[in-house]
Amino acid sequence: MAKNPKVFISYSHDSPEHKQWVAELAAKLRHSGIDAMLDQWDLGLGDDVTRFMERGIVSADRVLVICTDKYVGKANANEGGVGYERMIVNAELVQNLGTDKFIPIIRQASGKAKTPTFLGTRVYADFRDDNQFDVECEKLIRELHEIPIVQKPPLGKNPFPSVELDTQLVDIPKHVESASEAYTVASKLARSGDVLGWRELVKDIRPKVFNNLVQWRENELSGQKPESKEQLVQVVDKAVEIISPLMTVAIVGVQSSREEFRNQKSLIDDLQNIVGWNPAGYEVWIQLPNALGYVYHSLHGCVCMSTSQIDLALGLAQIKISVAVQTLGTKFFPLWEMSEFRGYALSISGSRGGNSLESWNYLANAYNRWNWLPSIFETESEYQTSLVAYYMALNIHELAKVINAGRADTLKTSSEYWFIIPLTFLFQDYDITKRATSLLRRNPEVFMELWTCLDVTREQIENSWDDWTNLVEKELSKLVFNKPYNPEALLNLSDIYRHLFEGM
């Protein structure tokens, strides 16, 4: 940027006091070496107002948008000069997608909309408190001069440098039997970028685990009647143990965050098409692959949340699952809408469409049952926090789908709503839920991108959020009826969720 950065100030003439405040801010900037352009100084009698706006916005290094209730209202309604400036700003945004040229300055915001819709995803400077004027002004001046308050640390060396694949390939054991061993080998391959070695590892593990799963079911479950829910948990745990080497390799690929390894959707397809899987027998045994799919996509989502890859998590949740529908043939539904995958696993609860809390508790309490899980998550608290955050993300995605379908108004008038994603994720303790919301706040821009794909804006989500969380609280009240849960404690948890967007 130039030695004296050029700044255009866009604002509405709300009152003489507001005009004076804007002039004082502009003067402060000029005294600090910033070439601030302001209509009060640079626009004279007979000058072309629209030309002044256009030239000022386009030629400036940065544009300060002074946001008040009146400005936001006019901008969103395309009224007056502010509306014209909005058109110019939009043109700039189209030509420079992702530009940081436009800086919202929040001067007054009595409603939910702090900024115009076209600036809804921009980080803003908060000048609402006059007592903090000097502090906020210094932050703004530093930003305009590109001198951050906190210096970015220098980039260090990669602690896991890539190796030459043709001379230093990772030594892959001939027989990888356990999940812990698979995790160790897969981690080395991912760190070294050894794609060929990775493929060899998967090629070795995949057929063995599925053959073992088929043989185990044939030997141990054939003709055996399910006797208790405790037995079901033990059976699903055994199936998880058998499949865990392949599941762990996939999780490591996600954990690496490297493009060549992070896409691990294929395991869901593998579980839906197990060679030799017997379609006859007791349904709880037939549906075991769906229970494994529930486990895998949940663990996949956990790792995505802990590594700031929400987009990858929701990408897997939206893959299509084929279902045979009587009289209609084969239909395809997104994974997150499928009962077996979203928290009603028949092989865990023992009944179709049963209590989703049983499937949730099966996952939430798995840390001490699966001895390979501590390799992925250091503590049970970290695991449970990531699990809750993933299901929160699915719940917010569900709201976006409701808005996209044009049904947002029904949330205001309906006394109840049938949630696709069960609300059992809010049954964890207060600290876990609070940390989970912090994970979601870490990457709000990813949500923006996903909502954009659904033609939904952040403003629409926020406008429906109170209605949505009201329904959440009503549903929680029903879920705790005659259950050993403290209703007041659950309402405290939902209150954390209600304030999710604060600070995002």
Side-chain angles (χ1 to χ4, degrees), residues 27 34 47 55 87 89 107 119 151 183 209 215 227 231 239 279 351 439 475 495:
I34 296 164
D47 288 340
R55 292 182 63 181
M87 289 188 290
V89 171
R107 176 58 184 156
L119 291 177
Q151 292 293 329
Y183 182 87
V209 298
Q215 288 302 315
E227 298 176 353
Q231 181 202 26
S351 60
L439 272 184
E475 182 67 12
D495 190 56

Side-chain angles (χ1 to χ4, degrees), residues 459-488:
E459 184 179 17
Q460 288 176 299
I461 295 287
E462 286 198 86
N463 287 342
S464 297
W465 191 244
D466 280 347
D467 298 324
W468 186 251
T469 49
N470 284 339
L471 293 171
V472 165
E473 289 174 357
K474 289 179 183 178
E475 182 67 12
L476 285 177
S477 297
K478 289 193 299 181
L479 289 174
V480 300
F481 184 70
N482 290 332
K483 296 286 193 304
Y485 292 97
N486 183 341
E488 184 177 346

Side-chain angles (χ1 to χ4, degrees), residues 99-112:
T99 181
D100 61 354
K101 181 171 184 174
F102 304 94
I103 304 176
I105 305 291
I106 308 301
R107 176 58 184 156
Q108 175 200 39
S110 61
K112 286 186 178 181

Side-chain angles (χ1 to χ4, degrees), residues 87-235:
M87 289 188 290
I88 301 171
V89 171
N90 275 344
E92 278 281 303
L93 286 172
V94 170
Q95 294 172 11
N96 303 285
L97 187 62
T99 181
D100 61 354
K101 181 171 184 174
F102 304 94
I103 304 176
I105 305 291
I106 308 301
R107 176 58 184 156
Q108 175 200 39
S110 61
K112 286 186 178 181
K114 298 183 181 71
T115 68
T117 303
F118 66 92
L119 291 177
T121 63
R122 305 283 159 179
V123 177
Y124 58 77
D126 194 339
F127 277 80
R128 285 175 288 184
D129 185 351
D130 286 336
N131 293 325
Q132 295 295 311
F133 179 84
D134 290 337
V135 174
E136 293 300 323
C137 207
E138 181 184 355
K139 292 180 185 177
L140 178 61
I141 291 168
R142 282 181 171 274
E143 169 67 23
L144 296 174
H145 278 299
E146 298 183 346
I147 302 175
I149 295 175
V150 180
Q151 292 293 329
K152 189 175 183 179
L155 191 63
K157 289 182 63 178
N158 180 357
F160 308 111
S162 297
V163 297
E164 294 294 331
L165 299 184
D166 58 343
T167 59
Q168 299 183 42
L169 292 175
V170 174
D171 184 23
I172 303 175
K174 288 185 178 179
H175 302 289
V176 177
E177 302 293 342
S178 70
S180 297
E181 187 178 11
Y183 182 87
T184 300
V185 176
S187 295
K188 291 178 180 178
L189 291 168
R191 285 197 297 267
S192 67
D194 190 346
V195 178
L196 295 177
W198 182 278
R199 290 173 181 167
E200 285 300 314
L201 178 64
V202 173
K203 185 178 178 181
D204 175 64
I205 293 176
R206 178 186 278 129
K208 287 193 300 188
V209 298
F210 285 122
N211 183 61
N212 291 343
L213 190 66
V214 170
Q215 288 302 315
W216 163 75
R217 180 192 164 191
E218 179 67 24
N219 296 336
E220 301 294 330
L221 302 178
S222 181
Q224 183 181 142
K225 183 179 180 180
E227 298 176 353
S228 67
K229 290 186 177 179
E230 289 75 15
Q231 181 202 26
L232 292 179
V233 169
Q234 293 170 2
V235 167

